[in-house]
Amino acid sequence: MLCDVRNKHILDTSAWNALFDDPDRDLLIEAALSRTIFPTCIAITEVAATEDTARRIDILRLMKTLGRDNRPMASPNQLIITACEGYSKRAAMITLNAGSDAEGAWIALSNPTQVDEAAQRLALDFNAEREDVMRTFTEGLRRGLQSIFVAGTQRPRSIGSLIRHYSLDDNFLYEVIDPIYKRATGAALPRAELWPLLNSLYEWRMFLMGYACAIYQRAVQEQGYGHKRNPGHLDLWSATYLPICDVFVTRDKRQRRALKILNKANPHPAQILSYAQWRQSLRAAPLCPRRWSWTLSSGGAEGS
């Protein structure tokens, strides 16, 4: 069971890129092998969108080296679907790497050369579409909310106050959750099951709070609401992974600030580290025996 696995680490795409570019990469890889690292569909999709072919292939190989035989964590929307299906069946466990996206991500890790130019463009288009959806949604919402605030409705002063407000509104929560639950299971969520679901599936809580963060930062706050100044859609989707891992690593300062705020409401809080902090922890750790091997697309051997 995943809960029995200790020291579970998830790296954001920014951290994978930082590790690949690190001058001490070899030493860090050796130290990181003492951790249990789970690649995610988000990170694999973003790496697959890398235009430089050699870099794309090499980072995917690096992810497979550190992830070893750990199947990639499914994308957050697939995790939510799987969680709904499991809850409806009263399953004791849910599968965290189910779905076609996780299967495709595993193929990419197992054979990075299959991620060719066509696959790269597909990944790039998917990532751009996700961001466009969030931008369109929050820009439209902002126009509507500003008129309400101008009319006298008090503007929430923080992400936390916005989350607290809506967490007390069972009708609102049900209207958000039930359509997704119904699509996943084919049946409506009984009203009495709203909080039992949220209390047993922490991924659901963090998934919702990721969107709450996006709404506050882009549609509610008075200043600094531009999409370039705030975490992206995929950055905030990563909040769904926080109850699953022990350590989440990112080099993205905006993402890290947002996830640290959301993590305060996580029933199983993860340690959220900058890449520099994670790197320092690896440098301070005793090295395990070298037993890894990966090859750069340029032909040079790394490890033995």
Side-chain angles (χ1 to χ4, degrees):
M1 293 177 61
L2 185 64
C3 60
D4 297 326
V5 178
R6 300 181 61 186
N7 214 6
K8 302 180 292 293
H9 290 223
I10 288 179
L11 276 63
D12 175 64
T13 313
S14 61
W16 284 112
N17 277 281
L19 175 59
F20 181 76
D21 293 328
D22 199 301
D24 293 328
R25 179 177 62 204
D26 293 358
L27 292 175
L28 296 174
I29 290 173
E30 288 190 52
L33 285 170
S34 66
R35 280 70 167 165
T36 302
I37 297 179
F38 285 92
T40 67
C41 280
I42 288 180
I44 293 167
T45 301
E46 289 190 309
V47 169
T50 303
E51 186 174 357
D52 185 297
T53 301
R55 183 180 182 85
R56 178 173 71 244
I57 291 173
D58 288 342
I59 296 178
L60 289 172
R61 285 176 175 160
L62 173 61
M63 297 172 87
K64 181 63 170 65
T65 296
L66 287 184
R68 289 175 281 197
D69 291 328
N70 294 323
R71 293 277 180 143
M73 294 283 184
S75 61
N77 57 336
Q78 181 61 50
L79 278 178
I80 294 305
I81 291 171
T82 302
C84 289
E85 292 172 341
Y87 183 84
S88 70
K89 298 172 182 176
R90 300 301 188 264
M93 296 181 291
I94 63 171
T95 303
L96 300 175
N97 50 21
S100 59
D101 58 346
E103 184 62 31
W106 179 243
I107 292 171
L109 290 186
S110 301
N111 190 355
T113 58
Q114 289 196 24
V115 186
D116 55 15
E117 291 184 4
Q120 183 267 333
R121 287 193 297 271
L122 188 65
L124 188 66
D125 290 344
F126 172 83
N127 297 338
E129 181 187 11
R130 290 292 89 201
E131 298 301 334
D132 287 346
V133 166
M134 178 62 77
R135 184 175 180 180
T136 300
F137 167 68
T138 53
E139 286 179 349
L141 183 61
R142 182 173 185 82
R143 287 192 293 270
L145 288 176
Q146 295 318 297
S147 61
I148 295 174
F149 296 143
V150 169
T153 298
Q154 185 175 3
R155 187 189 302 268
R157 300 181 63 181
S158 67
I159 296 171
S161 62
L162 180 71
I163 291 173
R164 285 190 294 273
H165 173 77
Y166 283 110
S167 67
L168 298 174
D169 189 339
D170 285 7
N171 289 331
F172 171 80
L173 291 173
Y174 185 83
E175 289 174 3
V176 171
I177 293 172
D178 181 57
I180 300 173
Y181 185 91
K182 192 178 295 182
R183 285 198 298 272
T185 67
L189 175 69
R191 290 294 294 254
E193 297 287 335
L194 174 64
W195 280 103
L197 179 143
L198 290 174
N199 286 330
S200 62
L201 299 174
Y202 300 145
E203 294 81 7
W204 246 118
R205 288 191 181 194
M206 302 310 295
F207 181 77
L208 293 175
M209 285 194 285
Y211 279 99
C213 181
I215 289 170
Y216 179 81
Q217 291 182 326
R218 298 193 189 193
V220 173
Q221 66 182 359
E222 198 163 5
Q223 297 178 336
Y225 54 84
H227 73 279
K228 292 184 178 180
R229 301 183 63 176
N230 291 291
H233 192 172
L234 299 180
D235 294 329
L236 293 175
W237 250 11
S238 293
T240 313
Y241 295 129
L242 296 182
I244 300 170
C245 66
D246 298 303
V247 177
F248 186 93
V249 186
T250 178
R251 192 178 57 176
D252 187 326
K253 292 181 180 179
R254 298 173 304 173
Q255 182 191 37
R256 181 167 173 256
R257 282 196 296 266
L259 293 185
K260 285 176 74 72
I261 292 171
L262 300 180
N263 196 44
K264 294 177 181 178
N266 179 8
H268 289 163
Q271 188 178 12
I272 300 174
L273 301 180
S274 67
Y275 176 75
Q277 290 172 323
W278 187 69
R279 183 185 192 277
Q280 184 178 13
S281 73
L282 293 179
R283 291 299 304 268
L287 294 181
C288 62
R290 180 176 288 198
R291 59 181 185 272
W292 53 275
S293 176
W294 67 298
T295 304
L296 292 171
S297 59
S298 59
E302 298 287 342
S304 60

